[in-house]
Amino acid sequence: MIGAIVSAIVIGAIIGALARLLVPGRQNMSIWLTLIVGIVAALIGTLIAQGVGVADTRGIDWWEHVIQLVLAVIGVLLVTKFTAGRTRRPGGTVH
């Protein structure tokens, strides 16, 4: 159980970081939000890969990782779109 949580965090961080590198322009996202987007994309991508039947292959599951990365890119784009108009005041409040 602990191993699954740690691997989800590590894979989520990698997937999230790669997604931010692939999305053009500057994304105003924190590292924690990047990690959350990556973890969610990794989990949903794994479920989709299992549903399609490409999650358990011999060697590295490339198709599963491609699905996860595509979902993470979509997640980064959505987060960037929805947080683009929000700015922080010096006191930490959002307006």
Side-chain angles (χ1 to χ4, degrees), residues 29-53:
M29 292 174 59
S30 67
I31 188 70
W32 298 110
L33 191 54
T34 302
L35 183 66
I36 290 169
V37 168
I39 291 171
V40 170
L43 292 174
I44 294 173
T46 298
L47 291 174
I48 292 172
Q50 287 174 347
V52 176

Side-chain angles (χ1 to χ4, degrees), residues 4-91:
I5 293 171
V6 170
S7 66
I9 292 171
V10 170
I11 291 173
I14 293 169
I15 295 291
L18 284 173
R20 284 191 62 183
L21 287 173
L22 291 174
V23 173
R26 180 178 167 95
Q27 300 88 34
N28 192 16
M29 292 174 59
S30 67
I31 188 70
W32 298 110
L33 191 54
T34 302
L35 183 66
I36 290 169
V37 168
I39 291 171
V40 170
L43 292 174
I44 294 173
T46 298
L47 291 174
I48 292 172
Q50 287 174 347
V52 176
V54 296
D56 294 322
T57 59
R58 298 174 84 170
I60 298 173
D61 300 325
W62 291 111
W63 285 111
E64 179 179 1
H65 297 311
V66 167
I67 294 168
Q68 292 170 338
L69 186 58
V70 168
L71 290 173
V73 167
I74 293 169
V76 168
L77 288 170
L78 288 173
V79 168
T80 303
K81 179 182 177 183
F82 288 120
T83 61
R86 301 177 85 184
T87 58
R88 292 203 172 265
R89 292 184 183 177

